[in-house]
Amino acid sequence: MRVLLTSAALCGHFYPLVPLAWTFRGLGHEVLVAVADDFVPEVLRAGLPAASCGPAADFAGLAVGGATDRLSARRYGNGRVFGRNAARNLPGLLSIVDSWRPDLVLGERAEAAGPVAAAAAGVPAVELQWGIPLLREYRIAAEDELEPHLDRLGVAAAPPPMTVLNPWPPSLRRSHAVRQRRMRNVPYDGQARVPNWVWQPRKRPRICLTLGTVLPRFGPGGGAEVVMPMLHALARLDVEVVVAVEDEVVAGWPPLPAVVTHAGRLPLSHVLRACDVTVHHGGQGTSLTALGVGIPQLVLPVFDDQLDNAAAVVLSGAGLSLPPGEADPAAVADRCAELLERQAFQQAAAAIATEIATQPSLAAVAVDLTALVGPARRLNAA
């Protein structure tokens, strides 16, 4: 079987697809990843074959902040940004589908061109849902951006996928996701060396602080204006702090306080196991990785799914959250102290980690999808 994977040109969108791609290859299937031209090197670094389906991605207008009462409008605006990139990539994807002839198109939820190209060719499509919310605004915005292409191809607006994969544990899902196909979350950390200190005993509690890959990219100063005051506030807790951020980002920051023992690109799936608490932005990868290793979290969400992901973490009992505008350094330090002191957070985190570990393996999911593709292809051919 041939599996074509599609993703927006952002690490946080592509990384959840990587373990699935490896799984399909391990089962003997052919895999190809189609992304915008500037993102091809990132796919190659993941050890996967890549093809360019369009020009460099353009994320101008992507909003990472704003008033929460305009959440729906901001989500629609961000959906337009992804939809605009999808429209630029659609001709290239149509060509790849026509020439390579995949049996299945598997894409993450923000990449809207793949499902359209699949529908035009009568190929089954599967969606990987990241994040807790439905994000209906993304689908509406993509339809608006792709409307001329949809009319020309005779494709129904926003073609529904054959099935939706969801790595969030069932206990934290909302009603729209209850019947989505279960899948164990397997983190992919990109090219990040595992430091030796993760296996060494620690003398003080350790907190991992990370902002993900999007916020430092779009924030002024690479996020230093947010991170530095937090680090100074955390210093009063008598802890050590590791900061997981891209090396080039931290290189542009001022000198870090002594409380920071390590800073730079870190493999979270290993590093978080050597920490007692993590403070992060609420992205899918970081949230699920922390839940999977069973440590308490303080979530500081900023936009889109991060807000709902934070609410899910709080609902699980595995962490706390501070909404936008309230995450001042003193409050962050106070919440971290609470997470370190109260055993209930650790117990809840451990329970969710057990639930995640019992989800179907990626191998089982890939085998199930392979079985579904045959009947779907025959139905489309008829």
Side-chain angles (χ1 to χ4, degrees):
M1 185 173 78
R2 288 183 168 181
V3 183
L4 178 67
L5 293 97
T6 65
S7 172
L10 292 169
C11 292
H13 292 236
F14 169 63
Y15 281 10
L17 290 168
V18 173
L20 271 171
W22 286 343
T23 301
F24 275 111
R25 294 193 76 183
L27 292 173
H29 302 296
E30 294 183 65
V31 168
L32 179 65
V33 183
V35 291
D37 191 68
D38 60 322
F39 201 70
V40 166
E42 186 66 44
V43 178
L44 297 178
R45 283 190 288 269
L48 296 170
S52 171
C53 61
D58 176 13
F59 293 110
L62 192 66
V64 296
T68 54
D69 60 350
R70 299 188 64 250
L71 177 60
S72 181
R74 284 193 291 118
R75 284 178 170 175
Y76 176 81
N78 289 342
R80 290 295 292 259
V81 173
F82 290 117
R84 183 176 67 240
N85 282 281
R88 287 152 52 97
N89 292 340
L90 182 57
L93 273 174
L94 288 167
S95 177
I96 291 171
V97 169
D98 181 62
S99 57
W100 195 60
R101 298 186 179 278
D103 299 291
L104 176 69
V105 174
L106 169 60
E108 52 90 8
R109 68 188 305 183
E111 201 297 296
V116 174
V123 176
V126 171
E127 177 185 298
L128 174 63
Q129 174 163 316
W130 44 258
I132 287 292
L134 178 60
L135 287 184
R136 190 189 311 273
E137 299 89 345
Y138 273 34
R139 184 174 295 273
I140 295 172
E143 290 177 355
D144 291 343
E145 289 289 339
L146 290 167
E147 184 176 8
H149 301 280
L150 296 173
D151 292 341
R152 176 174 55 83
L153 294 170
V155 173
M162 176 178 66
T163 190
V164 178
L165 308 178
N166 193 324
W168 283 83
S171 66
L172 300 186
R173 295 187 188 184
R174 293 183 179 171
S175 59
H176 74 274
V178 168
R179 297 191 177 184
Q180 291 175 352
R181 189 172 293 266
R182 294 188 301 146
M183 182 183 81
R184 188 181 310 158
N185 181 63
V186 177
Y188 169 68
D189 297 313
Q191 288 191 316
R193 180 178 299 179
V194 180
N196 290 336
W197 53 261
V198 303
W199 297 297
Q200 299 170 359
R202 52 191 181 274
K203 298 179 179 179
R204 295 181 295 168
R206 181 181 292 144
I207 297 173
C208 178
L209 174 63
T210 181
L211 298 178
T213 56
V214 173
L215 295 180
R217 176 176 175 179
F218 292 98
E225 73 289 347
V226 174
V227 172
M228 297 300 289
M230 288 185 187
L231 295 177
H232 287 291
L234 290 172
R236 68 177 173 83
L237 298 181
D238 190 28
V239 298
E240 65 175 80
V241 179
V242 295
V243 181
V245 68
E246 297 293 337
D247 292 340
E248 56 269 26
V249 171
V250 75
W253 288 358
L256 298 171
V259 68
V260 179
T261 56
H262 308 277
R265 187 173 181 85
L266 294 170
L268 288 183
S269 61
H270 291 272
V271 167
L272 292 186
R273 295 181 186 276
C275 295
D276 300 284
V277 166
T278 180
V279 181
H280 63 89
H281 59 298
Q284 153 106 357
T286 309
S287 300
L288 281 177
T289 300
L291 288 171
V293 303
I295 68 168
Q297 312 174 42
L298 173 60
V299 191
L300 313 176
V302 178
F303 72 119
D304 285 4
D305 67 304
Q306 298 171 4
L307 302 165
D308 303 80
N309 299 344
V313 169
V314 173
L315 177 65
S316 74
L320 298 170
S321 177
L322 286 169
E326 296 183 21
D328 61 87
V332 169
D334 288 343
R335 297 301 189 279
C336 285
E338 184 178 355
L339 291 170
L340 288 169
E341 292 168 3
R342 291 179 53 192
Q343 290 292 320
F345 293 113
Q346 300 168 21
Q347 293 167 356
I352 294 296
T354 299
E355 183 182 4
I356 289 175
T358 62
Q359 298 306 295
S361 69
L362 298 190
V365 171
V367 169
D368 286 347
L369 291 179
T370 303
L372 285 174
V373 165
R377 291 306 302 270
R378 290 194 295 270
L379 181 61
N380 286 327

